[in-house]
Amino acid sequence: MPDGILRRLGIADLECLVRLERAQSHPWTRGQLETTLTDGSVCVLGIESGGELSGHAVVARLPFEAELQAMLVAPDKRRRGLAARLLVAVIEQARRWGSERLLLEVRASNRAAIGLYRSTGFEEDGRRRAYYPAIPGEPAGPGRGTGAPREDAVLMSRRL
Ligand SMILES: CC(C)(COP(=O)(O)OP(=O)(O)OC[C@H]1O[C@@H](n2cnc3c(N)ncnc32)[C@H](O)[C@@H]1OP(=O)(O)O)[C@@H](O)C(=O)NCCC(=O)NCCS
């Protein structure tokens, strides 16, 4: 069983969330995080230990579905089951809302995230071509086209 307390985050967690987001190549801004934490149709879940956040997930309520908008685990806490634990809590939240499906989109090159989502029952629904800007300094790879400046989004979902 992985360590850490899983709970819903609020505006008091903004600074911890800003610190955790710095692990990303494209971190959410403080303003985006603040808006997300105060949006009544969004739930931000986090796992913390020792007063620091190890990971978080953002899920938004849509009219009939829910959308996983972000998922991040600190680099030194990965492969310990934290994201899988967050996803279980995301699914529980979406079920409480009465959502029929949980949707997400992910970079085609993001093997870790696609592995995580497949292992928790998500299936690929389609792709949005050249949806994401390229990650600076990364070579073209699967789903990006040869030398293409942008990367495909893989659209995934699972029934709730
Ligand atoms: C994707 C991410 C959230 C996974 O977090 P994590 O806590 O390491 O994931 P878990 O330990 O819960 O892994 C659960 C399962 O996901 C899959 N998985 C996770 N990381 C993987 C990797 N690097 N390669 C392949 N599969 C992986 C495995 O099936 C794993 O089960 P296993 O460890 O029993 O094999 C983490 O790598 C991350 O924060 N990445 C950067 C941000 C990001 O890409 N977010 C997703 C945006 S859509």
Side-chain angles (χ1 to χ4, degrees), residues 24 71-73 77-84 105-106 110-113 115-117 119:
Q24 296 254 50
M71 164 74 72
L72 174 66
V73 170
K77 303 279 169 54
R78 289 180 188 167
R79 296 313 288 264
R80 299 184 194 179
L82 295 188
E105 52 197 38
V106 53
N110 193 342
R111 289 196 196 144
L116 166 72
Y117 300 138
S119 73

PDB file of all heavy atoms in Angstrom, residues 24 71-73 77-84 105-106 110-113 115-117 119, ligand 1:
ATOM      1  N   GLN A  24       6.621  19.829 -14.083  1.00  0.00           N
ATOM      2  CA  GLN A  24       6.114  19.625 -15.449  1.00  0.00           C
ATOM      3  C   GLN A  24       6.931  20.409 -16.465  1.00  0.00           C
ATOM      4  O   GLN A  24       7.428  21.490 -16.150  1.00  0.00           O
ATOM      5  CB  GLN A  24       4.697  20.201 -15.547  1.00  0.00           C
ATOM      6  CG  GLN A  24       3.688  19.537 -14.695  1.00  0.00           C
ATOM      7  CD  GLN A  24       2.758  18.682 -15.531  1.00  0.00           C
ATOM      8  OE1 GLN A  24       3.214  17.886 -16.346  1.00  0.00           O
ATOM      9  NE2 GLN A  24       1.484  18.826 -15.315  1.00  0.00           N
ATOM     10  N   MET A  71      -3.012  15.248 -14.317  1.00  0.00           N
ATOM     11  CA  MET A  71      -2.559  14.171 -13.428  1.00  0.00           C
ATOM     12  C   MET A  71      -1.046  14.315 -13.361  1.00  0.00           C
ATOM     13  O   MET A  71      -0.377  14.352 -14.402  1.00  0.00           O
ATOM     14  CB  MET A  71      -2.969  12.834 -14.050  1.00  0.00           C
ATOM     15  CG  MET A  71      -2.293  11.612 -13.511  1.00  0.00           C
ATOM     16  SD  MET A  71      -2.891  11.134 -11.890  1.00  0.00           S
ATOM     17  CE  MET A  71      -4.508  10.507 -12.283  1.00  0.00           C
ATOM     18  N   LEU A  72      -0.523  14.421 -12.173  1.00  0.00           N
ATOM     19  CA  LEU A  72       0.929  14.618 -12.033  1.00  0.00           C
ATOM     20  C   LEU A  72       1.410  13.984 -10.735  1.00  0.00           C
ATOM     21  O   LEU A  72       0.805  14.178  -9.677  1.00  0.00           O
ATOM     22  CB  LEU A  72       1.260  16.121 -12.013  1.00  0.00           C
ATOM     23  CG  LEU A  72       2.712  16.499 -11.723  1.00  0.00           C
ATOM     24  CD1 LEU A  72       3.647  16.047 -12.842  1.00  0.00           C
ATOM     25  CD2 LEU A  72       2.837  18.020 -11.538  1.00  0.00           C
ATOM     26  N   VAL A  73       2.511  13.241 -10.823  1.00  0.00           N
ATOM     27  CA  VAL A  73       3.179  12.706  -9.632  1.00  0.00           C
ATOM     28  C   VAL A  73       4.621  13.236  -9.645  1.00  0.00           C
ATOM     29  O   VAL A  73       5.263  13.274 -10.713  1.00  0.00           O
ATOM     30  CB  VAL A  73       3.137  11.160  -9.612  1.00  0.00           C
ATOM     31  CG1 VAL A  73       4.026  10.579  -8.514  1.00  0.00           C
ATOM     32  CG2 VAL A  73       1.695  10.685  -9.435  1.00  0.00           C
ATOM     33  N   LYS A  77       8.628  10.284  -6.811  1.00  0.00           N
ATOM     34  CA  LYS A  77       7.596   9.463  -6.161  1.00  0.00           C
ATOM     35  C   LYS A  77       6.890   8.550  -7.168  1.00  0.00           C
ATOM     36  O   LYS A  77       5.867   7.952  -6.847  1.00  0.00           O
ATOM     37  CB  LYS A  77       6.559  10.369  -5.481  1.00  0.00           C
ATOM     38  CG  LYS A  77       7.120  11.334  -4.451  1.00  0.00           C
ATOM     39  CD  LYS A  77       7.339  10.628  -3.133  1.00  0.00           C
ATOM     40  CE  LYS A  77       8.136  11.431  -2.117  1.00  0.00           C
ATOM     41  NZ  LYS A  77       7.634  12.738  -1.830  1.00  0.00           N
ATOM     42  N   ARG A  78       7.442   8.470  -8.377  1.00  0.00           N
ATOM     43  CA  ARG A  78       6.747   7.700  -9.414  1.00  0.00           C
ATOM     44  C   ARG A  78       6.950   6.193  -9.259  1.00  0.00           C
ATOM     45  O   ARG A  78       7.855   5.754  -8.589  1.00  0.00           O
ATOM     46  CB  ARG A  78       7.211   8.175 -10.808  1.00  0.00           C
ATOM     47  CG  ARG A  78       6.660   9.565 -11.090  1.00  0.00           C
ATOM     48  CD  ARG A  78       7.046  10.120 -12.436  1.00  0.00           C
ATOM     49  NE  ARG A  78       6.617  11.531 -12.479  1.00  0.00           N
ATOM     50  CZ  ARG A  78       6.984  12.428 -13.370  1.00  0.00           C
ATOM     51  NH1 ARG A  78       7.797  12.075 -14.337  1.00  0.00           N
ATOM     52  NH2 ARG A  78       6.529  13.663 -13.301  1.00  0.00           N
ATOM     53  N   ARG A  79       6.098   5.426  -9.911  1.00  0.00           N
ATOM     54  CA  ARG A  79       6.092   3.956  -9.906  1.00  0.00           C
ATOM     55  C   ARG A  79       5.912   3.393  -8.494  1.00  0.00           C
ATOM     56  O   ARG A  79       6.452   2.356  -8.146  1.00  0.00           O
ATOM     57  CB  ARG A  79       7.361   3.373 -10.545  1.00  0.00           C
ATOM     58  CG  ARG A  79       7.536   3.689 -12.012  1.00  0.00           C
ATOM     59  CD  ARG A  79       6.304   3.472 -12.872  1.00  0.00           C
ATOM     60  NE  ARG A  79       5.898   2.110 -13.143  1.00  0.00           N
ATOM     61  CZ  ARG A  79       6.212   1.429 -14.230  1.00  0.00           C
ATOM     62  NH1 ARG A  79       6.976   1.971 -15.141  1.00  0.00           N
ATOM     63  NH2 ARG A  79       5.756   0.216 -14.417  1.00  0.00           N
ATOM     64  N   ARG A  80       5.116   4.085  -7.696  1.00  0.00           N
ATOM     65  CA  ARG A  80       4.744   3.573  -6.366  1.00  0.00           C
ATOM     66  C   ARG A  80       3.236   3.438  -6.233  1.00  0.00           C
ATOM     67  O   ARG A  80       2.716   3.330  -5.133  1.00  0.00           O
ATOM     68  CB  ARG A  80       5.221   4.532  -5.270  1.00  0.00           C
ATOM     69  CG  ARG A  80       6.704   4.736  -5.237  1.00  0.00           C
ATOM     70  CD  ARG A  80       7.058   5.614  -4.054  1.00  0.00           C
ATOM     71  NE  ARG A  80       8.417   6.096  -4.160  1.00  0.00           N
ATOM     72  CZ  ARG A  80       8.974   6.900  -3.274  1.00  0.00           C
ATOM     73  NH1 ARG A  80       8.286   7.292  -2.211  1.00  0.00           N
ATOM     74  NH2 ARG A  80      10.210   7.304  -3.425  1.00  0.00           N
ATOM     75  N   GLY A  81       2.529   3.577  -7.351  1.00  0.00           N
ATOM     76  CA  GLY A  81       1.075   3.397  -7.310  1.00  0.00           C
ATOM     77  C   GLY A  81       0.297   4.644  -6.945  1.00  0.00           C
ATOM     78  O   GLY A  81      -0.929   4.564  -6.758  1.00  0.00           O
ATOM     79  N   LEU A  82       0.950   5.806  -6.865  1.00  0.00           N
ATOM     80  CA  LEU A  82       0.217   7.017  -6.447  1.00  0.00           C
ATOM     81  C   LEU A  82      -0.796   7.458  -7.499  1.00  0.00           C
ATOM     82  O   LEU A  82      -1.932   7.816  -7.172  1.00  0.00           O
ATOM     83  CB  LEU A  82       1.186   8.162  -6.138  1.00  0.00           C
ATOM     84  CG  LEU A  82       2.131   7.957  -4.950  1.00  0.00           C
ATOM     85  CD1 LEU A  82       2.876   9.256  -4.647  1.00  0.00           C
ATOM     86  CD2 LEU A  82       1.387   7.493  -3.717  1.00  0.00           C
ATOM     87  N   ALA A  83      -0.393   7.455  -8.772  1.00  0.00           N
ATOM     88  CA  ALA A  83      -1.329   7.884  -9.821  1.00  0.00           C
ATOM     89  C   ALA A  83      -2.511   6.916  -9.900  1.00  0.00           C
ATOM     90  O   ALA A  83      -3.655   7.339 -10.070  1.00  0.00           O
ATOM     91  CB  ALA A  83      -0.613   7.966 -11.162  1.00  0.00           C
ATOM     92  N   ALA A  84      -2.231   5.627  -9.751  1.00  0.00           N
ATOM     93  CA  ALA A  84      -3.322   4.643  -9.792  1.00  0.00           C
ATOM     94  C   ALA A  84      -4.303   4.921  -8.649  1.00  0.00           C
ATOM     95  O   ALA A  84      -5.528   4.841  -8.828  1.00  0.00           O
ATOM     96  CB  ALA A  84      -2.746   3.236  -9.689  1.00  0.00           C
ATOM     97  N   GLU A 105      -7.462  13.383 -22.558  1.00  0.00           N
ATOM     98  CA  GLU A 105      -6.589  13.392 -23.737  1.00  0.00           C
ATOM     99  C   GLU A 105      -5.151  13.469 -23.271  1.00  0.00           C
ATOM    100  O   GLU A 105      -4.849  14.063 -22.227  1.00  0.00           O
ATOM    101  CB  GLU A 105      -6.953  14.528 -24.695  1.00  0.00           C
ATOM    102  CG  GLU A 105      -7.029  15.875 -24.070  1.00  0.00           C
ATOM    103  CD  GLU A 105      -7.780  16.864 -24.935  1.00  0.00           C
ATOM    104  OE1 GLU A 105      -8.778  16.496 -25.571  1.00  0.00           O
ATOM    105  OE2 GLU A 105      -7.342  18.021 -24.974  1.00  0.00           O
ATOM    106  N   VAL A 106      -4.277  12.832 -24.039  1.00  0.00           N
ATOM    107  CA  VAL A 106      -2.891  12.666 -23.609  1.00  0.00           C
ATOM    108  C   VAL A 106      -1.990  12.719 -24.844  1.00  0.00           C
ATOM    109  O   VAL A 106      -2.381  12.290 -25.934  1.00  0.00           O
ATOM    110  CB  VAL A 106      -2.744  11.333 -22.827  1.00  0.00           C
ATOM    111  CG1 VAL A 106      -3.263  10.129 -23.593  1.00  0.00           C
ATOM    112  CG2 VAL A 106      -1.324  11.093 -22.377  1.00  0.00           C
ATOM    113  N   ASN A 110       3.387  10.014 -24.643  1.00  0.00           N
ATOM    114  CA  ASN A 110       3.427   9.868 -23.179  1.00  0.00           C
ATOM    115  C   ASN A 110       3.126   8.422 -22.778  1.00  0.00           C
ATOM    116  O   ASN A 110       2.012   8.072 -22.379  1.00  0.00           O
ATOM    117  CB  ASN A 110       2.447  10.849 -22.529  1.00  0.00           C
ATOM    118  CG  ASN A 110       2.666  10.967 -21.031  1.00  0.00           C
ATOM    119  OD1 ASN A 110       3.293  10.112 -20.423  1.00  0.00           O
ATOM    120  ND2 ASN A 110       2.154  12.033 -20.446  1.00  0.00           N
ATOM    121  N   ARG A 111       4.156   7.579 -22.904  1.00  0.00           N
ATOM    122  CA  ARG A 111       3.953   6.137 -22.661  1.00  0.00           C
ATOM    123  C   ARG A 111       3.536   5.845 -21.227  1.00  0.00           C
ATOM    124  O   ARG A 111       2.752   4.945 -20.979  1.00  0.00           O
ATOM    125  CB  ARG A 111       5.237   5.372 -22.970  1.00  0.00           C
ATOM    126  CG  ARG A 111       5.505   5.322 -24.439  1.00  0.00           C
ATOM    127  CD  ARG A 111       6.534   4.248 -24.755  1.00  0.00           C
ATOM    128  NE  ARG A 111       7.042   4.494 -26.092  1.00  0.00           N
ATOM    129  CZ  ARG A 111       8.276   4.292 -26.479  1.00  0.00           C
ATOM    130  NH1 ARG A 111       9.158   3.825 -25.626  1.00  0.00           N
ATOM    131  NH2 ARG A 111       8.649   4.527 -27.715  1.00  0.00           N
ATOM    132  N   ALA A 112       4.115   6.585 -20.267  1.00  0.00           N
ATOM    133  CA  ALA A 112       3.794   6.330 -18.854  1.00  0.00           C
ATOM    134  C   ALA A 112       2.307   6.575 -18.615  1.00  0.00           C
ATOM    135  O   ALA A 112       1.609   5.729 -18.030  1.00  0.00           O
ATOM    136  CB  ALA A 112       4.639   7.229 -17.953  1.00  0.00           C
ATOM    137  N   ALA A 113       1.802   7.720 -19.089  1.00  0.00           N
ATOM    138  CA  ALA A 113       0.395   8.046 -18.842  1.00  0.00           C
ATOM    139  C   ALA A 113      -0.522   7.088 -19.606  1.00  0.00           C
ATOM    140  O   ALA A 113      -1.516   6.595 -19.054  1.00  0.00           O
ATOM    141  CB  ALA A 113       0.125   9.494 -19.244  1.00  0.00           C
ATOM    142  N   GLY A 115       0.118   4.049 -20.467  1.00  0.00           N
ATOM    143  CA  GLY A 115       0.186   2.772 -19.740  1.00  0.00           C
ATOM    144  C   GLY A 115      -0.701   2.798 -18.500  1.00  0.00           C
ATOM    145  O   GLY A 115      -1.436   1.845 -18.222  1.00  0.00           O
ATOM    146  N   LEU A 116      -0.634   3.910 -17.786  1.00  0.00           N
ATOM    147  CA  LEU A 116      -1.470   4.068 -16.585  1.00  0.00           C
ATOM    148  C   LEU A 116      -2.952   3.990 -16.949  1.00  0.00           C
ATOM    149  O   LEU A 116      -3.724   3.256 -16.309  1.00  0.00           O
ATOM    150  CB  LEU A 116      -1.154   5.429 -15.946  1.00  0.00           C
ATOM    151  CG  LEU A 116      -2.123   5.933 -14.892  1.00  0.00           C
ATOM    152  CD1 LEU A 116      -1.985   5.121 -13.609  1.00  0.00           C
ATOM    153  CD2 LEU A 116      -1.887   7.413 -14.601  1.00  0.00           C
ATOM    154  N   TYR A 117      -3.361   4.732 -17.989  1.00  0.00           N
ATOM    155  CA  TYR A 117      -4.782   4.780 -18.324  1.00  0.00           C
ATOM    156  C   TYR A 117      -5.267   3.431 -18.853  1.00  0.00           C
ATOM    157  O   TYR A 117      -6.356   2.980 -18.486  1.00  0.00           O
ATOM    158  CB  TYR A 117      -5.052   5.908 -19.332  1.00  0.00           C
ATOM    159  CG  TYR A 117      -4.657   7.279 -18.793  1.00  0.00           C
ATOM    160  CD1 TYR A 117      -3.998   8.217 -19.578  1.00  0.00           C
ATOM    161  CD2 TYR A 117      -4.931   7.627 -17.472  1.00  0.00           C
ATOM    162  CE1 TYR A 117      -3.633   9.458 -19.083  1.00  0.00           C
ATOM    163  CE2 TYR A 117      -4.561   8.867 -16.959  1.00  0.00           C
ATOM    164  CZ  TYR A 117      -3.908   9.775 -17.770  1.00  0.00           C
ATOM    165  OH  TYR A 117      -3.538  10.995 -17.266  1.00  0.00           O
ATOM    166  N   SER A 119      -4.104   0.567 -18.025  1.00  0.00           N
ATOM    167  CA  SER A 119      -4.140  -0.385 -16.901  1.00  0.00           C
ATOM    168  C   SER A 119      -5.338  -0.133 -15.980  1.00  0.00           C
ATOM    169  O   SER A 119      -5.661  -0.969 -15.148  1.00  0.00           O
ATOM    170  CB  SER A 119      -2.830  -0.328 -16.099  1.00  0.00           C
ATOM    171  OG  SER A 119      -2.771   0.858 -15.344  1.00  0.00           O
TER     172      SER A 119
HETATM  173  C1  LIG B   1       1.911   9.387 -15.701  1.00  0.00           C
HETATM  174  C2  LIG B   1       2.208   9.505 -14.204  1.00  0.00           C
HETATM  175  C3  LIG B   1       1.111  10.361 -13.574  1.00  0.00           C
HETATM  176  C4  LIG B   1       2.193   8.100 -13.578  1.00  0.00           C
HETATM  177  O1  LIG B   1       2.359   8.244 -12.160  1.00  0.00           O
HETATM  178  P1  LIG B   1       2.901   7.066 -11.228  1.00  0.00           P
HETATM  179  O2  LIG B   1       2.516   7.389  -9.825  1.00  0.00           O
HETATM  180  O3  LIG B   1       4.310   6.807 -11.516  1.00  0.00           O
HETATM  181  O4  LIG B   1       2.035   5.824 -11.762  1.00  0.00           O
HETATM  182  P2  LIG B   1       1.717   4.489 -10.934  1.00  0.00           P
HETATM  183  O5  LIG B   1       2.905   4.116 -10.101  1.00  0.00           O
HETATM  184  O6  LIG B   1       0.416   4.640 -10.231  1.00  0.00           O
HETATM  185  O7  LIG B   1       1.578   3.440 -12.119  1.00  0.00           O
HETATM  186  C5  LIG B   1       0.376   2.698 -12.342  1.00  0.00           C
HETATM  187  C6  LIG B   1       0.534   1.945 -13.663  1.00  0.00           C
HETATM  188  O8  LIG B   1       0.669   2.871 -14.758  1.00  0.00           O
HETATM  189  C7  LIG B   1       1.597   2.333 -15.717  1.00  0.00           C
HETATM  190  N1  LIG B   1       2.822   3.170 -15.747  1.00  0.00           N
HETATM  191  C8  LIG B   1       3.181   4.148 -14.899  1.00  0.00           C
HETATM  192  N2  LIG B   1       4.363   4.691 -15.257  1.00  0.00           N
HETATM  193  C9  LIG B   1       4.772   4.015 -16.358  1.00  0.00           C
HETATM  194  C10 LIG B   1       5.918   4.107 -17.198  1.00  0.00           C
HETATM  195  N3  LIG B   1       6.895   4.998 -16.949  1.00  0.00           N
HETATM  196  N4  LIG B   1       5.998   3.282 -18.260  1.00  0.00           N
HETATM  197  C11 LIG B   1       5.025   2.391 -18.528  1.00  0.00           C
HETATM  198  N5  LIG B   1       3.900   2.237 -17.749  1.00  0.00           N
HETATM  199  C12 LIG B   1       3.784   3.047 -16.687  1.00  0.00           C
HETATM  200  C13 LIG B   1       1.935   0.933 -15.235  1.00  0.00           C
HETATM  201  O9  LIG B   1       0.947   0.050 -15.756  1.00  0.00           O
HETATM  202  C14 LIG B   1       1.774   1.098 -13.736  1.00  0.00           C
HETATM  203  O10 LIG B   1       1.565  -0.119 -13.062  1.00  0.00           O
HETATM  204  P3  LIG B   1       2.883  -0.958 -12.551  1.00  0.00           P
HETATM  205  O11 LIG B   1       3.780   0.001 -11.828  1.00  0.00           O
HETATM  206  O12 LIG B   1       2.266  -2.001 -11.668  1.00  0.00           O
HETATM  207  O13 LIG B   1       3.520  -1.494 -13.799  1.00  0.00           O
HETATM  208  C15 LIG B   1       3.622  10.125 -13.951  1.00  0.00           C
HETATM  209  O14 LIG B   1       4.576   9.459 -14.736  1.00  0.00           O
HETATM  210  C16 LIG B   1       3.687  11.613 -14.252  1.00  0.00           C
HETATM  211  O15 LIG B   1       3.387  12.447 -13.390  1.00  0.00           O
HETATM  212  N6  LIG B   1       4.082  11.973 -15.478  1.00  0.00           N
HETATM  213  C17 LIG B   1       4.226  13.407 -15.867  1.00  0.00           C
HETATM  214  C18 LIG B   1       2.870  14.098 -15.978  1.00  0.00           C
HETATM  215  C19 LIG B   1       1.969  13.395 -16.970  1.00  0.00           C
HETATM  216  O16 LIG B   1       2.415  12.906 -18.004  1.00  0.00           O
HETATM  217  N7  LIG B   1       0.660  13.372 -16.663  1.00  0.00           N
HETATM  218  C20 LIG B   1      -0.347  12.798 -17.521  1.00  0.00           C
HETATM  219  C21 LIG B   1      -0.849  13.836 -18.464  1.00  0.00           C
HETATM  220  S1  LIG B   1      -2.226  13.189 -19.412  1.00  0.00           S
END
